[in-house]
Amino acid sequence: MALNKLKFNSINVTPAASEALKFNSSANGFETGSAGGAMTFIKKLTASSDSTLSFVDGSSDVVLDNTYKEYIFHVINAHPSADAKNFGFQGSTDSGSSYATTITSTHFQARHDEAGSGSHQTLDYQAGRDLAQSTSLQRLTETIGADNDESCSGILHLFNPSSTTFVKHFIWVANGVQDTPLSVNSFCAGYFNTTSAIDAIQFKFESANIDSGDIVLYGIN
């Protein structure tokens, strides 16, 4: 039997953009299938000297229920009305009547100032921004400056908030301009320690308004 030669450089084994590899146990190998994971726009809120920005399931076209297992909030250039203010969030289990759900979390950050000062080139754990079974505001950033060019931007992932079996995990990563000024890369993660559904999320600065900025909510299929 003759053997055919293959030109390996001419073989394209990359799945199409609309496909992804998945494992087929019966075939003991991988095959292509639907990629999933599509990002669906839900709601955009734009601040204009607002004390809070809130996403409440079923209100103003907001979806925050079992439609999606993961929700993503994009915070874009949140700017405080006063200098040196922490930006944070909290969740609600009563459709936004109160935002005081029990949280346990961790927080660390990397810092570097505009002058390249060695004293501000740090990577450290932030004990003052973690929570241990607390209903306080979850701080997400270093103290953000209020100069015209200062703000913070970041991404918050919230997982399966409608579950009535498990706690609700979240992950945050952001960069902000501290009032010094510093570039501060913030990392926060934790969970709402409740088996009640989280049906509303609220963002705010401590002791200041959100002078300007956008927060955009997406659902992940």
Side-chain angles (χ1 to χ4, degrees), residues 176-194:
V177 183
Q178 190 192 11
D179 54 302
T180 302
L182 304 170
S183 174
V184 183
N185 192 195
S186 300
F187 301 84
C188 181
Y191 54 87
F192 292 101
N193 196 6
T194 178

Side-chain angles (χ1 to χ4, degrees), residues 47-60:
S48 180
S49 298
D50 293 289
S51 58
T52 63
L53 289 180
S54 303
F55 294 83
V56 181
D57 179 49
S59 175
S60 301

